[in-house]
Amino acid sequence: MDNLAAIERRLTGAGSESHLNEVESLYGFCESEDLRVVAEALKAIGRVLAHHRCGLRSSADSGTEATLGQWLRQHTEAYHATLVRLATSASP
């Protein structure tokens, strides 16, 4: 879980916009057999998305805003799809 926390720190810390693609590694933790790891990964993804959503509201740069907005939409959809998949799975 230390790796998961380190990834989350990179995705929410200063200069995190340059690490946005690393969110994919958080989704990788969702494939774990350990439900505690899956739960922590899902919580971390939610916190990363919330962090960047707040940053988007305060952004003055329209280019960054458009790119980040698209990234947020894509990953919010992926996050919800992951939650649905977990909820409907016969063996979580």
Side-chain angles (χ1 to χ4, degrees):
M1 291 215 220
D2 292 336
N3 290 340
L4 199 148
I7 295 167
E8 182 181 356
R9 278 192 301 276
R10 271 196 306 280
L11 289 168
T12 57
S16 59
E17 291 81 16
S18 62
H19 301 285
L20 291 178
N21 289 332
E22 289 185 37
V23 75
E24 295 297 327
S25 37
L26 290 178
Y27 285 104
F29 285 100
C30 293
E31 300 297 324
S32 174
E33 294 292 321
D34 186 345
L35 285 179
R36 290 175 297 184
V37 172
V38 173
E40 287 302 315
L42 289 170
K43 290 192 294 187
I45 293 167
R47 288 189 295 263
V48 167
L49 294 174
H51 169 81
H52 287 289
R53 198 171 296 115
C54 289
L56 181 63
R57 286 188 212 126
S58 63
S59 174
D61 181 9
S62 63
T64 300
E65 186 176 311
T67 303
L68 188 56
Q70 180 181 6
W71 181 88
L72 272 170
R73 276 189 299 282
Q74 291 172 339
H75 286 285
T76 299
E77 289 174 13
Y79 178 65
H80 290 139
T82 302
L83 290 173
V84 167
R85 202 170 67 232
L86 179 64
T88 59
S89 174
S91 58

